[in-house]
Amino acid sequence: MAKYFGTDGVRGEYGVDLTDDIVIALGRAAAKCFGTKIVIGRDTRGSGPALLKALSYGISLEGGQAYDAGIIPTPAISILTANNDFDCGIVISASHNPPQFNGIKFFHGSGRKLYEAEVDKVEELVDKFLTQDLKTNTKIFAKDFYELGHGSAQDAYITFICDAFSDLDLTGIKIAVDCANGASYITTPAVLLKLGAEVFAINQDCDQNNINVDCGSTHIEALQLHLQQSGADIGIAHDGDADRMMVALKKGKIVDGDMAICMIANYLKSADKLPNNKVCVTYLSNM
């Protein structure tokens, strides 16, 4: 049984369960296990910058270099890791949890989540590194993603998604979006606008302490009310790091992520665009 990792990464209340020492050790373990070029993204929590610094220091202790992607959704780190030859991607986020919590999620260089054997190796190294008395070097910083010459990480992600859906025209469709005061507050509205939709976004006023508070996918009633008031055709709610979504329909029906996958699969099958008539999901899928 995992000692530090839960369902999806290491998570806890910052400064209590998730300490700088543990995060430094996680940074060292990542560089030791996966390689020395690592990209890090985060959500809007106030503890994010401190954890970025601790991770960067840990990575540097193993001869690695961290690159700061800034505030960006978790799925973006998967894509940026694989598309920019990073050895590992890390997200600083506690997903849908309250603001006082934070967490560390890992992506392999291929963009996938870690296998159990890889989690076991990381935990083994964390235990080893925690026995070593180190003083945090606050002068170690991550390089900016800009330094890779691809523009900002947010712009790279927005471009990737828009290119992937280049044949999708949302002109005339009104979409309400609840960004949960989190990582999607720029990217999701930007993508939908570029694809032609009229966007009505709420909860974009991130103050480091309001992520997921009475908003987002865990408080879908905020989106339902916004959908009604805005007159939008459909509503989308993210959680704090935007690795999940809930959909609200005009008549009040709520569609969760698993149901959305089924609906998309059925549509693709009807259009003869579903390869092998099969759908692959991760073991983290709820249903």
Side-chain angles (χ1 to χ4, degrees), residues 147-160:
E147 296 188 35
L148 294 171
H150 306 310
S152 75
Q154 284 186 344
D155 287 345
Y157 177 55
I158 291 168
T159 298
F160 177 90

Side-chain angles (χ1 to χ4, degrees), residues 63-275:
Q65 177 61 60
Y67 288 84
D68 180 14
I71 294 172
I72 198 163
T74 287
I77 293 300
S78 172
I79 291 167
L80 295 176
T81 299
N83 287 359
N84 294 280
D85 297 322
F86 285 106
D87 298 311
C88 175
I90 300 177
V91 178
I92 302 170
S93 174
S95 193
H96 59 281
N97 290 103
Q100 66 269 29
F101 290 84
N102 218 323
I104 310 294
K105 302 180 182 182
F106 293 89
F107 288 94
H108 185 270
S110 64
R112 62 167 171 79
K113 292 290 183 69
L114 302 188
Y115 294 139
E116 287 187 19
E118 292 168 326
V119 169
D120 291 343
K121 181 61 177 177
V122 169
E123 292 208 336
E124 178 185 326
L125 286 171
V126 168
D127 277 335
K128 173 186 174 182
F129 293 143
L130 282 174
T131 64
Q132 301 174 5
D133 187 19
L134 294 172
K135 184 177 180 181
T136 303
N137 184 345
T138 57
K139 294 182 180 179
I140 299 294
F141 297 101
K143 290 185 178 181
D144 197 288
F145 187 86
Y146 269 113
E147 296 188 35
L148 294 171
H150 306 310
S152 75
Q154 284 186 344
D155 287 345
Y157 177 55
I158 291 168
T159 298
F160 177 90
I161 298 299
C162 288
D163 287 348
F165 292 92
S166 59
D167 59 346
L168 179 64
D169 184 3
L170 298 179
T171 301
I173 299 178
K174 299 178 181 179
I175 303 178
V177 181
D178 185 344
C179 300
N181 296 314
S184 68
Y185 80 103
I186 289 177
T187 53
T188 293
V191 166
L192 295 174
L193 284 168
K194 283 179 176 291
L195 293 176
E198 186 175 354
V199 180
F200 304 88
I202 57 172
N203 295 313
Q204 295 175 286
D205 302 318
C206 315
D207 67 4
Q208 299 187 340
N209 296 300
N210 62 355
I211 186 171
N212 298 317
V213 176
D214 298 326
C215 61
S217 60
T218 53
H219 297 277
I220 197 69
E221 61 277 3
L223 177 64
Q224 289 176 302
L225 178 61
H226 180 51
L227 177 64
Q228 181 180 359
Q229 292 176 340
S230 66
D233 301 305
I234 192 170
I236 297 170
H238 288 301
D239 63 340
D241 67 331
D243 65 352
R244 70 176 69 188
M245 73 163 193
M246 298 281 278
V247 175
L249 305 180
K250 267 189 172 181
K251 294 183 178 180
K253 184 175 180 61
I254 299 300
V255 179
D256 66 18
D258 291 343
M259 193 181 299
I261 290 171
C262 291
M263 294 169 69
I264 293 166
N266 282 331
Y267 169 77
L268 291 173
K269 180 176 172 64
S270 69
D272 198 27
K273 293 182 178 180
L274 186 65

